[in-house]
Amino acid sequence: MLVDLRDSAKRRVGRVEIDASQRPPLVRVPRPDAPAAEVFLQWDQALDDAGCLRHCVACGGRLYRSRTLPQVTPIVVVLAAAGAVIAALGFAANPWVYAALVAVLVLDILVLALARARLVCYRCGSRFDRLPVARYHRRWDSRDAATETAAAHSSESASV
Ligand SMILES: [Zn+2]
């Protein structure tokens, strides 16, 4: 899986490829302007029976499901809006306009097909990409975010 690691203060550490089946306890994260950062990972209970990530390996926090959209997404949205306006104005009878609308629709479907699910940590904000995502992970939820932030603060104050 590809991990965009962040520290407990949500500062970005860097991006690193991690083989979850190897469960490396320590990863070196290459950084462009500094020596590689060493990050310890917590694999205890982190993977479920199916090998899916259960919680964040950087901080142990809960994860929510998110989607990565391809770079072309904003362009497609603009094109789709333009297509809707054209159709509403009644130009869709023109065969060229019709062909263009169909092309936008195909592009739209491609974008949705290419969107991948990824997991994001509530607590530290680390992102986990290119991995199997279990069905029990839900989308971002304000209540979950609040309880996770509260849990992070209480564990921080307990360790001080
Ligand atoms: Zn985390």
Side-chain angles (χ1 to χ4, degrees):
M1 59 182 172
L2 186 67
V3 186
D4 203 349
L5 274 172
R6 283 163 200 262
D7 63 15
S8 55
K10 295 196 174 189
R11 282 186 302 253
R12 190 165 186 271
V13 178
R15 188 172 282 213
V16 66
E17 180 75 42
I18 298 174
D19 185 352
S21 62
Q22 301 288 323
R23 303 185 189 199
L26 177 75
V27 287
R28 285 174 196 280
V29 185
R31 291 186 292 184
D33 50 357
E38 293 189 331
V39 178
F40 287 95
L41 303 177
Q42 309 159 18
W43 290 99
D44 196 32
Q45 311 271 313
L47 298 175
D48 65 14
D49 294 339
C52 295
L53 201 62
R54 192 181 278 150
H55 57 70
C56 176
V57 288
C59 74
R62 277 179 65 180
L63 300 167
Y64 64 89
R65 172 195 291 264
S66 151
R67 294 203 125 197
T68 57
L69 291 173
Q71 300 281 307
V72 294
T73 309
I75 301 166
V76 174
V77 169
V78 169
L79 284 176
V85 169
I86 288 167
L89 292 177
F91 290 116
N94 183 319
W96 285 105
V97 173
Y98 192 70
L101 286 178
V102 170
V104 169
L105 185 68
V106 169
L107 213 56
D108 240 357
I109 293 166
L110 270 178
V111 164
L112 280 179
L114 289 174
R116 291 190 311 267
R118 70 175 170 194
L119 293 171
V120 185
C121 174
Y122 276 115
R123 218 180 276 181
C124 71
S126 292
R127 290 160 198 273
F128 303 86
D129 210 342
R130 295 185 200 160
L131 76 169
V133 173
R135 288 187 162 271
Y136 51 75
H137 288 301
R138 291 182 299 181
R139 292 180 175 279
W140 188 88
D141 183 278
S142 58
R143 276 171 302 178
D144 286 346
T147 53
E148 270 305 292
T149 311
H153 283 309
S154 64
S155 67
E156 264 168 32
S157 52
S159 63
V160 168

